[in-house]
């Protein structure tokens, strides 16, 4: 399995404001890059916080890219994956419509009625891993068994940190845009508890100017992260 974390952050490293409202950090050129990355992925992964805040569809926007996927024997859209320990994803959320298969990763602590409501949605499958929080290692192993080899992670910060902590990230691509958001409570690229001793080591592979921002692409060097594997 190959996991790529992709995010757009402000010049001061924020994903959004302290209100956690979606902010346009990048422009059309970067939106198109993200759409290409989605089209090249087997699945797009987000945490439940992103679903609750933005209600994204996580589909490929360009019709020609969807058609090329079909010509290659794939579904028009990649699968969607929501990491959602307590099954808080609303049954009417865009991410659990029938545009693509959706895997909702839950823990054993998720209320049964919420799990049932999600399992009844079309093309939605539940992956249960972990007691109180989703254990990312077995959850991602189950996704791989389902045939998902190339995963694109779109946030948010809590999930991204947990993936780094579990040693599951292979690449990090960050578009840094021309905005300063500020705020000690504004979400950053990697939230969670944070590392204090052992830090993931990144090898810079490319720097590309896009509009008034810059895309930084890193490779994550192996065997440099911890393996807790739990997601808030």
């Amino acid at each position: 399995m190959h996991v790529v974390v992709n995010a757009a952050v402000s010049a001061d490293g924020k994903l959004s404001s302290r209100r956690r409202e979606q902010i346009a950090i990048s422009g059309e050129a970067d939106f198109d890059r993200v759409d290409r990355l989605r089209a090249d992925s087997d699945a797009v992964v987000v945490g439940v916080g992103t679903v609750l805040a933005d209600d994204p569809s996580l589909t490929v926007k360009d019709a020609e890219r969807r058609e090329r996927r079909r010509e290659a024997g794939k579904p028009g859209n990649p699968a969607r994956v929501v990491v959602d320990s307590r099954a808080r994803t609303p049954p009417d959320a865009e991410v659990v419509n029938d545009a693509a298969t959706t895997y909702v990763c839950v823990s054993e602590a998720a209320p049964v009625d919420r799990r049932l409501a999600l399992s009844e949605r079309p093309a939605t499958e539940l992956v249960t891993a972990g007691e109180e929080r989703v254990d990312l290692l077995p959850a991602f192993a189950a996704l791989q068994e389902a045939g998902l080899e190339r995963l694109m992670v779109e946030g948010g910060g809590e999930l991204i940190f947990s993936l780094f902590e579990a040693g599951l990230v292979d690449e990090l691509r960050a578009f840094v845009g021309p905005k300063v958001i500020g705020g000690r409570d504004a979400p950053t690229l990697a939230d969670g508890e944070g590392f204090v001793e052992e830090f993931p080591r990144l090898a810079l592979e490319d720097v590309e100017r896009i509009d008034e921002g810059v895309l930084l692409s890193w490779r994550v060097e192996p065997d440099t992260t911890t393996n807790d594997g739990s997601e808030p």
Side-chain angles (χ1 to χ4, degrees), residues 188-209:
T188 65
L189 177 69
D191 286 333
E193 294 183 2
F195 297 104
V196 293
E197 292 181 352
E198 296 184 22
F199 304 94
R201 295 182 59 190
L202 309 178
L204 185 64
E205 296 211 311
D206 192 35
V207 179
E208 177 186 358
R209 178 169 179 167

Side-chain angles (χ1 to χ4, degrees), residues 13-188:
K14 306 294 186 180
L15 292 174
S16 66
S17 73
R18 69 179 188 276
R19 295 179 178 176
R20 297 183 180 266
E21 298 170 339
Q22 190 173 29
I23 293 175
I25 294 174
S26 59
E28 290 300 322
D30 191 59
F31 293 159
D32 188 65
R33 178 192 66 83
V34 172
D35 200 54
R36 291 198 308 270
L37 188 55
R38 283 183 183 174
D40 290 339
S41 302
D42 294 324
V44 180
V45 186
V46 296
V48 65
T50 298
V51 172
L52 296 174
D54 302 335
D55 194 23
S57 64
L58 304 180
T59 54
V60 175
K61 307 307 179 189
D62 185 81
E64 292 185 3
R65 291 183 182 128
R66 293 197 300 271
E67 183 57 31
R68 284 197 293 271
R69 285 180 55 89
R70 295 188 185 100
E71 290 173 353
K74 301 177 181 179
N77 289 300
R80 286 85 58 94
V81 177
V82 182
V83 180
D84 182 4
S85 293
R86 302 287 171 155
R88 293 187 293 150
T89 300
D92 60 350
E94 284 293 317
V95 77
V96 289
N97 60 24
D98 59 359
T101 300
T102 300
Y103 298 88
V104 182
C105 301
V106 301
S107 72
E108 294 176 4
V112 174
D113 58 335
R114 293 183 191 171
R115 288 196 241 177
L116 180 61
L118 288 171
S119 66
E120 291 176 344
R121 295 295 297 156
T124 298
E125 299 184 23
L126 296 187
V127 175
T128 304
E131 295 183 0
E132 294 294 326
R133 299 178 177 179
V134 171
D135 189 333
L136 293 171
L137 293 173
F140 273 48
L143 296 175
Q144 187 172 25
E145 287 182 8
L148 306 180
E149 291 292 343
R150 185 171 180 86
L151 273 57
M152 172 191 181
V153 180
E154 293 198 21
E158 296 279 347
L159 174 60
I160 291 173
F161 171 77
S162 294
L163 289 168
F164 271 107
E165 187 179 35
L168 287 168
V169 181
D170 297 291
E171 293 182 55
L172 170 61
R173 301 183 188 181
F175 174 85
V176 182
K179 277 187 172 67
V180 173
I181 295 175
R184 64 178 61 88
D185 296 324
T188 65

